[in-house]
Amino acid sequence: MSKSLQAIRGMNDILPEQTPVWRYFEGTVSRLLDNYGYKQIRMPIVEFTELFKRSIGEVTDIVEKEMYTFEDRNGDSLTLRPEGTAACVRAVLEHGITGGGQVQKLWYIGPMFRHERPQKGRYRQFHQIGLEVFNLDGPDIDAELIVLTWRLWGELGIRDAVKLELNSLGTSESRGRYREALVEYLSAHHDKLDEDSQRRLKTNPLRVLDTKNADTQAVLVDAPKMADYLDDESRAHFEGLKARLDAVGIPYVLNPKLVRGLDYYSKTVFEWVTDKLGAQGTVCAGGRYDGLVEQMGGKPTPGVGFAMGIERLVLLLETLEQIPEEISRQVDVYLCAFGEEAELAGLALAELVRDQLPNLRLQVNAGAGSFKSQFKKADKSGALYALILGDDEMAQQVVGFKPLRGQGEQQSIAWDALAAHLATCVVQG
Ligand code: ATP
Ligand code: MG
């Protein structure tokens, strides 16, 4: 017998009982992004491998060990996207929509793929909502990105559970000078560094800063600080950002060790972190990447963006019990019909009601069944009201209208008055 069929480790089904929370989350975010003037873009899930190597950088965890890369039937090397920024930059360049300094405020949503060790909050297929803004170089837009996430946390009721960490990496020139100073310092303490950090010292020294190794962390205490190497322009940019966050009243913590995993960041970097989810605490992360578009073959184009992890935010909503009750109810009205004639009349009546109340969530019983079994299904559906069509109702051309959640007796409503009656008692979303 063949092994039973299973999903790939780290790639999850999102079951019907979970999708209402996802849709609530996604709906809240997309409405907010519409309101702030962001436009959605949709990119393919698969791209040429070269795209990610060029944009993310060869010596990053993602490119070194996390990509799902394969050869297609033409012999091309393709990769399931591990993140969205690279494809978004490719798309705007390919279609010329950032040319001549055109501002683009874009967002995307979808699955990303990384071959990591699966654990709570860390999966091999996971989902992000990401934003990318092109051709705005001031701190005002960096601030807007943070302000809108702050509003989102507020709407979702999770503001108290997340903390903003902030840093500036400077321009590539000032970061280069800092990198030299850091390499010099760390090289003098080479023997005290863990193996991974010794390797990173050669390949991507800034990443030593976010080591989890205690011995290396001890060495880092006296290491040179990026803040002392910031050029005037980056310093002013960072001050501009902080002033705006202060103006709105958004608290933040400066974290000089925040460097982010990807090579392409410059100036602003930030993360929203929570201590409610264990080790996988970053729910949203991003920063400025002024050099990236040029690095990918475009004209110099400032860019800034972030991505949030939907699984982690859904987990946080569940952990904090911040899921509005009404989102789990998916049926307003359940129609029960007894006998073939009643079924036909019920179907036609349901369509008439739907014509008049397009937002009503009306479920028609399928599979016939006894009075008792249809009522059980009506109740289980979560509906507020049952509609009943039996022999008596058919004879009088009415429908029985029965509240299922307490209050009120069953009444008879004439068929042609049904939609108007429902409109008065069901709040339609
Ligand atoms: P981490 O430090 O947790 O590995 P990262 O720096 O690799 O995160 P980004 O590439 O910045 O993450 O992605 C942005 C967000 O996407 C993260 O803050 C997180 O919420 C989410 N995310 C990243 N990797 C995963 C994953 N494997 N599973 C679930 N969510 C993830
Ligand atoms: Mg990671």
Side-chain angles (χ1 to χ4, degrees), residues 206-220:
L206 288 187
R207 298 240 32 218
V208 176
L209 293 176
D210 69 356
T211 180
K212 302 278 181 293
N213 182 283
D215 297 332
T216 304
Q217 282 176 345
V219 173
L220 286 170

Side-chain angles (χ1 to χ4, degrees), residues 82-99:
E83 52 101 57
T85 305
C88 188
V89 169
R90 194 241 345 113
V92 298
L93 284 178
E94 188 168 336
H95 299 284
I97 59 174
T98 51

Side-chain angles (χ1 to χ4, degrees), residues 61-62 66 114 116 122 312:
D61 284 351
I62 291 183
E66 294 176 358
R114 297 183 195 176
E116 304 194 71
R122 190 176 295 285
R312 291 185 194 176

Side-chain angles (χ1 to χ4, degrees), residues 56-319:
I56 298 171
E58 300 258 9
V59 286
T60 53
D61 284 351
I62 291 183
V63 173
E64 278 182 340
K65 50 191 191 204
E66 294 176 358
M67 295 204 304
Y68 279 90
T69 297
F70 60 97
E71 230 178 60
D72 78 353
R73 287 171 193 272
N74 303 329
D76 290 324
S77 180
L78 306 183
T79 294
L80 298 183
R81 63 181 183 195
E83 52 101 57
T85 305
C88 188
V89 169
R90 194 241 345 113
V92 298
L93 284 178
E94 188 168 336
H95 299 284
I97 59 174
T98 51
Q102 285 175 82
V103 171
Q104 294 288 349
K105 293 167 62 171
L106 305 174
W107 71 280
Y108 55 81
I109 179 171
M112 306 293 160
F113 303 84
R114 297 183 195 176
H115 198 276
E116 304 194 71
R117 192 169 70 78
Q119 52 199 290
K120 183 184 171 193
R122 190 176 295 285
Y123 311 99
R124 290 180 172 173
Q125 173 173 335
F126 61 99
H127 298 78
Q128 290 183 335
I129 292 182
L131 269 71
E132 315 290 351
V133 179
F134 297 99
N135 282 317
L136 289 172
D137 59 8
D140 48 354
I141 193 70
D142 304 36
E144 178 172 283
L145 292 179
I146 293 173
V147 166
L148 73 84
T149 50
W150 174 247
R151 172 163 301 282
L152 177 64
W153 314 144
E155 286 192 19
L156 295 171
I158 57 174
R159 228 180 227 180
D160 294 342
V162 291
K163 192 176 79 180
L164 175 62
E165 298 195 353
L166 209 56
N167 192 20
S168 175
L169 300 177
T171 58
S172 67
E173 296 80 52
S174 59
R175 196 163 62 253
R177 282 199 304 280
Y178 173 62
R179 188 187 289 117
E180 266 173 42
L182 185 67
V183 169
E184 192 182 331
Y185 172 84
L186 291 175
S187 300
H189 297 81
H190 191 267
D191 295 348
K192 293 189 212 123
L193 305 179
D194 63 285
E195 220 174 284
D196 220 25
S197 296
Q198 289 182 348
R199 193 175 54 86
R200 283 176 170 174
L201 179 55
K202 294 205 191 70
T203 56
N204 194 349
L206 288 187
R207 298 240 32 218
V208 176
L209 293 176
D210 69 356
T211 180
K212 302 278 181 293
N213 182 283
D215 297 332
T216 304
Q217 282 176 345
V219 173
L220 286 170
V221 171
D222 294 319
K225 303 277 177 281
M226 180 72 227
D228 299 327
Y229 288 78
L230 276 191
D231 51 290
D232 292 344
E233 180 200 332
S234 301
R235 197 184 303 275
H237 196 278
F238 199 36
E239 292 307 318
L241 170 60
K242 288 188 283 183
R244 286 168 172 85
L245 299 180
D246 292 338
V248 182
I250 302 177
Y252 52 84
V253 185
L254 298 180
N255 178 358
K257 295 199 175 125
L258 185 65
V259 291
R260 309 282 310 120
L262 314 181
D263 264 357
Y264 50 55
Y265 287 107
S266 56
K267 292 185 181 156
T268 311
V269 287
F270 68 92
E271 289 192 0
W272 286 101
V273 293
T274 177
D275 58 9
K276 302 284 190 281
L277 296 180
Q280 271 50 253
T282 304
V283 294
C284 173
R288 182 163 277 284
Y289 49 82
D290 289 343
L292 179 63
V293 176
E294 196 178 5
Q295 180 184 316
M296 290 175 63
K299 296 234 165 62
T301 304
V304 59
F306 70 73
M308 51 188 139
I310 304 183
E311 280 81 357
R312 291 185 194 176
L313 284 157
V314 165
L315 261 172
L316 189 57
L317 288 173
E318 288 166 349
T319 306

Side-chain angles (χ1 to χ4, degrees), residues 377-391:
K377 287 197 274 178
D379 190 48
K380 213 174 147 208
S381 76
L384 299 173
Y385 304 98
L387 300 177
I388 301 148
L389 270 178
D391 292 345

